[in-house]
Amino acid sequence: MIYETHTHFDDKAFDDDREDAIRGALAAGVGRFVNIGASMDSSRESMELAHKYPEFLAAVGVHPEECKDLTEDDMAQLKEYTEDDNVVAIGEIGLDYYWDEPERDIQKKWFARQINLALETNLPIIVHSREAAKDTYDIIKAENAEKVGGIIHCFSYSVEVARQFLDAGFYIGVGGVVTFKNGRKLKEVVEYTPLERIMTETDSPYMAPVPNRGKRNTSEYLPYIIREIADIKGISVQEVEEVTYNNAVRLFGK
Ligand code: NI
């Protein structure tokens, strides 16, 4: 069975066929999904999906690009959400210096604040980090995020950076980029990282793997990512599925 550790089925890209898309992913062998919040609204919608489908769990948190107008009331609301048994992580939270909006100090403030929330609630974090490796690492260390651990999702950095996050106890999230012809850097990271520290994810509806690159992504395509990981490591698809499934159960507790 396959564990989808990062999907956004609440996204409007699924408004016309959400039920069918979820059924398609189940039929493709995905046995468990973590639907990831990226805003206050999508955090609530992730919980709603987890209530509707027994295979779904939820992460609640606010993405760096969405954090500009956050308030302490929002933090209290997120904390209340975590009292729900279906909520297994805080995320996605982090830093995005590619879009670089809102300004970095605001992104850093809410990343650190949401790490505090994870520590208060004893939940792991799902980290979005783009062109911000050093600040991401520094904040994780400064805020003691190692205590709860988590996933560096859609990992886009070098093997050297992977080593730092692995040493800090984090998992490496591997998605569709690993199937891209120009995904050599991520292929090297997959080769380097022990299978016991890899998480499988699609980030659907974004980042569709080959042969569907450029189309709307859905968790149904996760087998393409798993096949690529198996090829890189020279092991069976079944072994990748089993080990990464157990990784996710270890982190999320279910
Ligand atoms: Ni995402």
Side-chain angles (χ1 to χ4, degrees), residues 120-218:
E120 281 171 31
T121 56
N122 198 30
L123 290 173
I125 56 175
I126 311 286
V127 179
H128 171 104
S129 178
R130 199 165 176 202
E131 296 189 8
K134 184 175 186 306
D135 283 357
T136 302
Y137 182 77
D138 289 349
I139 290 173
I140 278 175
K141 295 296 274 190
E143 301 298 330
N144 283 318
E146 291 151 297
K147 273 191 188 157
V148 286
I151 303 172
I152 311 301
H153 132 77
C154 197
F155 194 83
S156 58
Y157 302 125
S158 65
V159 165
E160 292 80 83
V161 176
R163 182 186 302 131
Q164 281 191 306
F165 284 110
L166 287 166
D167 285 348
F170 281 77
Y171 291 87
I172 304 292
V174 176
V177 173
V178 78
T179 66
F180 295 178
K181 275 214 167 61
N182 58 358
R184 198 173 60 91
K185 200 161 74 166
L186 182 58
K187 290 177 207 272
E188 287 171 5
V189 168
V190 168
E191 202 176 353
Y192 171 78
T193 304
L195 189 58
E196 290 71 21
R197 305 295 295 282
I198 288 176
M199 294 289 191
T200 51
E201 60 173 41
T202 61
D203 203 18
S204 136
Y206 311 105
M207 297 291 228
V210 172
N212 298 300
R213 188 173 181 179
K215 294 190 198 160
R216 180 188 74 173
N217 196 7
T218 159

Side-chain angles (χ1 to χ4, degrees), residues 2-205:
I2 298 169
Y3 207 123
E4 160 70 288
T5 64
H6 195 119
T7 190
H8 300 278
F9 270 116
D10 58 284
D11 193 279
K12 61 182 183 321
F14 293 106
D15 279 356
D16 291 337
D17 64 345
R18 185 166 290 108
E19 180 80 27
D20 285 349
I22 290 170
R23 295 284 156 222
L26 286 165
V30 181
R32 193 153 312 277
F33 306 73
V34 183
N35 204 83
I36 308 286
S39 63
M40 292 306 294
D41 283 344
S42 67
S43 293
R44 183 181 34 80
E45 287 161 5
S46 292
M47 291 176 64
E48 287 167 7
L49 282 168
H51 288 155
K52 187 166 179 192
Y53 297 97
E55 299 86 356
F56 272 62
L57 299 165
V60 299
V62 179
H63 188 286
E65 282 173 61
E66 303 283 339
C67 70
K68 188 168 188 287
D69 299 319
L70 279 177
T71 64
E72 276 304 315
D73 283 351
D74 293 324
M75 294 301 107
Q77 177 68 11
L78 288 179
K79 191 169 183 182
E80 201 181 309
Y81 287 160
T82 65
E83 287 164 18
D84 188 309
D85 280 347
N86 294 296
V87 175
V88 294
I90 300 294
E92 55 189 289
I93 61 174
L95 304 172
D96 194 316
Y97 295 171
Y98 177 78
W99 294 109
D100 226 1
E101 183 65 37
E103 64 182 78
R104 293 181 184 189
D105 282 351
I106 294 176
Q107 294 191 34
K108 287 184 198 174
K109 173 187 163 184
W110 290 107
F111 182 33
R113 179 65 185 89
Q114 291 182 94
I115 289 173
N116 290 170
L117 181 64
L119 291 167
E120 281 171 31
T121 56
N122 198 30
L123 290 173
I125 56 175
I126 311 286
V127 179
H128 171 104
S129 178
R130 199 165 176 202
E131 296 189 8
K134 184 175 186 306
D135 283 357
T136 302
Y137 182 77
D138 289 349
I139 290 173
I140 278 175
K141 295 296 274 190
E143 301 298 330
N144 283 318
E146 291 151 297
K147 273 191 188 157
V148 286
I151 303 172
I152 311 301
H153 132 77
C154 197
F155 194 83
S156 58
Y157 302 125
S158 65
V159 165
E160 292 80 83
V161 176
R163 182 186 302 131
Q164 281 191 306
F165 284 110
L166 287 166
D167 285 348
F170 281 77
Y171 291 87
I172 304 292
V174 176
V177 173
V178 78
T179 66
F180 295 178
K181 275 214 167 61
N182 58 358
R184 198 173 60 91
K185 200 161 74 166
L186 182 58
K187 290 177 207 272
E188 287 171 5
V189 168
V190 168
E191 202 176 353
Y192 171 78
T193 304
L195 189 58
E196 290 71 21
R197 305 295 295 282
I198 288 176
M199 294 289 191
T200 51
E201 60 173 41
T202 61
D203 203 18
S204 136

